[in-house]
Amino acid sequence: MEIHDGDGLRTTVFFKGCPLKCIWCHNPESISFERQFAFFKEKCCGCGGCEKFSKEETQLIVQCCPTEAKTFFGEEYDVRQLADLLAVDKPFFENGGGVTLSGGECLAQSDFAVALAKELKENGIGVYIDTCGFVKREVFDRIIPYADKFLYDIKAIDSDAHKTYTGQDNDIILSNLEYLLNRGCDVEIRYPLVMGYNSSECEKIGSFLSDKGFKGKIKVLRYHNFSVSRYEALGMECALPDTITQDSDVDNAVNILKSYNLNAIK
């Protein structure tokens, strides 16, 4: 029942593992490739059921927790198993919907992502790829035949700014974007707007895309910090910026991008 990860009604598969470490990441459970144990203190009812197990017996602890205060992030599937599970939702995809592979970075698990996209495509299910673009060119060559659209993140044009906010420079990201456009792929740009951080990149993004003759949509995403509890539950240091992105900030960014004759939306 996703409506934000592409067109129509969609089912989104969130892959674990990402090559970037964005300070504003709102899916911290998808940064690591490993299965992770999490404890949401605010959900704990204090029943004491887990106290009979050692801290290492996490599987039993999770199984006995009545409120799901203690849980896991990360389930393993084989391609056929997951494809069959997703096919159950096929009746809901008739009006332009489908499956979106997201993350983390779904293409970081390239063999699985390609095989899954192929299975879905052969079953008549549309596939969108939500990607940060920080992957080898050959991975795009393999996934293109099975992808209806790429939801492509552009967080910054300035390489130093991008490295500061994500831990990686953006040379390969911008190069891969240009490659997809030259291949005639359907691409929708996603720009996560974080005021005081990458908000100054808006005009640079507009200029870059305009120079490339980009004709697709560019969607401005409003930053939020709703995932604070997940950082705490996972025992991860929370690097989320202490800033607020207002609706008016998003509107302003949309107008700036439109001034470059881009199809900007929010």
Side-chain angles (χ1 to χ4, degrees):
M1 293 296 293
E2 282 286 352
I3 59 172
H4 302 293
D5 296 327
D7 302 310
L9 276 179
R10 311 194 69 80
T11 297
T12 301
V13 180
F14 292 94
F15 285 61
K16 278 181 66 64
C18 186
L20 304 185
K21 300 293 183 290
C22 303
I23 62 172
W24 51 69
C25 180
H26 62 274
N27 288 336
E29 69 280 7
S30 68
I31 296 174
S32 170
F33 286 88
E34 303 300 323
R35 194 181 198 212
Q36 292 171 284
F37 173 76
F39 174 39
F40 291 89
K41 294 180 181 179
E42 66 276 10
K43 290 184 178 181
C44 181
C45 65
C47 68
C50 60
E51 294 178 1
K52 57 186 176 182
F53 302 111
S54 68
K55 292 182 178 179
E56 289 74 29
E57 295 178 294
T58 52
Q59 187 69 44
L60 295 174
I61 290 173
V62 169
Q63 289 175 353
C64 81
C65 185
T67 62
E68 298 184 347
K70 296 183 177 181
T71 187
F72 286 113
F73 284 114
E75 297 294 334
E76 291 188 4
Y77 296 89
D78 61 38
V79 171
R80 170 58 64 182
Q81 179 187 17
L82 184 54
D84 288 346
L85 180 63
L86 294 169
V88 174
D89 292 342
K90 188 176 179 180
F92 298 100
F93 302 150
E94 293 179 356
N95 295 317
V99 171
T100 298
L101 307 187
S102 185
E105 174 51 59
C106 62
L107 297 183
Q109 297 187 46
S110 59
D111 290 343
F112 190 97
V114 171
L116 178 61
K118 183 175 185 291
E119 288 278 347
L120 294 171
K121 196 72 172 177
E122 290 176 349
N123 194 18
I125 297 175
V127 179
Y128 284 11
I129 304 297
D130 189 353
T131 179
C132 71
F134 196 85
V135 297
K136 294 180 179 179
R137 177 70 51 80
E138 64 186 40
V139 175
F140 282 109
D141 285 331
R142 293 167 57 208
I143 199 78
I144 283 174
Y146 313 113
D148 295 285
K149 181 180 283 190
F150 291 91
L151 307 179
Y152 203 98
D153 290 353
I154 295 294
K155 301 173 175 68
I157 297 298
D158 181 84
S159 183
D160 290 337
H162 195 278
K163 191 167 186 177
T164 296
Y165 300 139
T166 73
Q168 301 283 358
D169 66 38
N170 59 357
D171 289 347
I172 188 173
I173 294 172
L174 299 181
S175 175
N176 280 334
L177 173 59
E178 189 168 3
Y179 179 72
L180 292 180
L181 297 178
N182 290 338
R183 285 284 304 267
C185 297
D186 191 355
V187 177
E188 177 182 312
I189 300 299
R190 302 223 149 176
Y191 168 35
L193 178 64
V194 188
M195 296 306 296
Y197 290 79
N198 70 340
S199 49
S200 61
E201 292 291 304
C202 188
E203 292 200 19
K204 297 174 187 176
I205 292 172
S207 178
F208 176 85
L209 294 175
S210 180
D211 289 346
K212 301 302 178 185
F214 181 70
K215 300 300 181 185
K217 288 191 295 186
I218 173 169
K219 188 169 187 177
V220 181
L221 306 176
R222 179 179 173 180
Y223 164 75
H224 64 73
N225 63 354
F226 302 156
S227 60
V228 170
S229 64
R230 274 180 280 164
Y231 279 94
E232 294 174 350
L234 290 162
M236 296 172 61
E237 180 181 356
C238 182
L240 290 172
D242 184 17
T243 186
I244 298 175
T245 300
Q246 306 280 7
D247 283 339
S248 57
D249 298 320
V250 175
D251 290 337
N252 183 56
V254 166
N255 289 332
I256 289 174
L257 293 168
K258 284 183 175 179
S259 72
Y260 286 90
N261 295 316
L262 296 170
N263 182 18
I265 61 172
K266 63 177 183 177

